Structures are given as structure tokens and as C-alpha cells.
Amino acid sequence: MKRTELNLPTIKSTILRNVALSVLMLCTSGLTYSQSDILKIADDHMRNGNYNAALKIYMRVAVKDSLDAVANYGAGVCILYLAMDKRPAIQYLERSLRAGIKNPEAMFFMGLAYHHNLKLELAQAAYQEYKNKEEGEMLGEIERHLMNVKNA
């Protein structure tokens, strides 16, 4: 049997080229996600109760685009579920409402943020506006929240 010689410089350059291409592909693969794709991932985290992971994504998008209604809404809701200090939730939820968030629950969570921060008149107004729209998943709880504000 005849032994063939290996051309080591060619093998090394091929390996280096493949490694470089792999690194390049990994670095640029994150650029292919659109903002809406990223927000869908955050929405999935929030739906599954993984508020920490969702908050990180929503905050990253809200910092880049302070007018993004979905990112601000998501950040505000996550803060309400996670944080001891719920004051920042007001800023994010107000921003989402100004940006025209289409989620019917937004006004409920706005009321909840005001309520947690003892802005009772604003909480009552937000809760009442939510109730008047007569749509949303939290309608069953709205009377209790309105009563809590009145009794505070």
C-alpha cells in the first residue's frame, strides 16, 4: 500500500476558514430576528409566567425604541408581577397607552399600577375605563379592584 502525504498547510487553512465562517454566521445570525420576532419570544415567556426572562427582553426593546407600545406594556406588566418597587410600571404602561397599545388589558394594568402606588383617583379612573369597554380577561376581577380603591 502506498502512503499518501497529507498537505498540512491546506488542512489547517481549511479548518481555520470553516471556523471563521462558523463564527461569522453565529455573530450575524442574531441580526436576522426582527423586533416583532423578539417581542413574540418575550410574549411567550410572559404567557408561561417567566416574567424575569420576558422583562429582560421587553426592557431591551423599550430602551432601543421607547415608543414601542408592546415592549412598554410588557415591561410594565412584568414589573407589576415581579418588583417590590412598582413605580416604574406606571411609566412603561403610560407610554404604552400613549403609543396606542391594542391590548384590552392595558387599562386594567394601568389601574393596578396606580393602585399599587397609591394614586387612588387615577386607579379608579383607569379601572372604570377598563370596565366601560366591557372587554378583557380581567372583567371578573374589576369590581373587586374598584371596591378596594374606594375602601383604601
Side-chain angles (χ1 to χ4, degrees):
M1 277 174 95
K2 189 175 181 186
R3 281 176 105 182
T4 58
E5 286 188 28
L6 297 175
N7 188 350
L8 290 179
T10 305
I11 293 172
K12 284 182 182 177
S13 66
T14 303
I15 291 171
L16 286 175
R17 186 183 62 219
N18 289 342
V19 167
L21 285 172
S22 297
V23 169
L24 182 63
M25 287 173 41
L26 285 172
C27 290
T28 60
S29 66
L31 299 176
T32 61
Y33 289 108
S34 70
Q35 187 164 308
S36 65
D37 291 335
I38 292 169
L39 288 172
K40 286 177 187 174
I41 294 168
D43 291 342
D44 287 341
H45 282 304
M46 191 160 71
R47 264 191 302 280
N48 292 320
N50 191 355
Y51 299 109
N52 281 318
L55 180 59
K56 288 176 187 174
I57 296 169
Y58 288 132
M59 294 288 283
R60 194 172 344 134
V61 173
V63 165
K64 288 181 182 177
D65 182 2
S66 64
L67 299 177
D68 188 292
V70 174
N72 281 293
Y73 170 78
V77 171
C78 288
I79 289 168
L80 286 173
Y81 280 111
L82 290 172
M84 293 298 288
D85 180 9
K86 299 185 186 314
R87 285 177 294 181
I90 291 175
Q91 166 191 338
Y92 288 104
L93 290 165
E94 284 178 343
R95 231 187 267 158
S96 76
L97 288 166
R98 280 194 304 272
I101 186 75
K102 305 252 187 291
N103 190 321
E105 307 303 321
M107 194 54 69
F108 172 82
F109 284 108
M110 187 75 258
L112 192 61
Y114 288 140
H115 193 168
H116 281 296
N117 288 284
L118 301 177
K119 297 178 183 264
L120 301 178
E121 289 179 12
L122 292 172
Q124 184 171 5
Y127 285 148
Q128 194 61 52
E129 185 174 334
Y130 175 76
K131 180 182 174 183
N132 292 345
K133 287 186 179 180
E134 296 182 353
E135 64 175 309
E137 296 175 15
M138 308 305 262
L139 278 174
E141 297 184 32
I142 197 65
E143 288 300 329
R144 179 175 56 87
H145 286 280
L146 280 166
M147 189 63 69
N148 288 341
V149 168
K150 289 176 185 174
N151 293 331

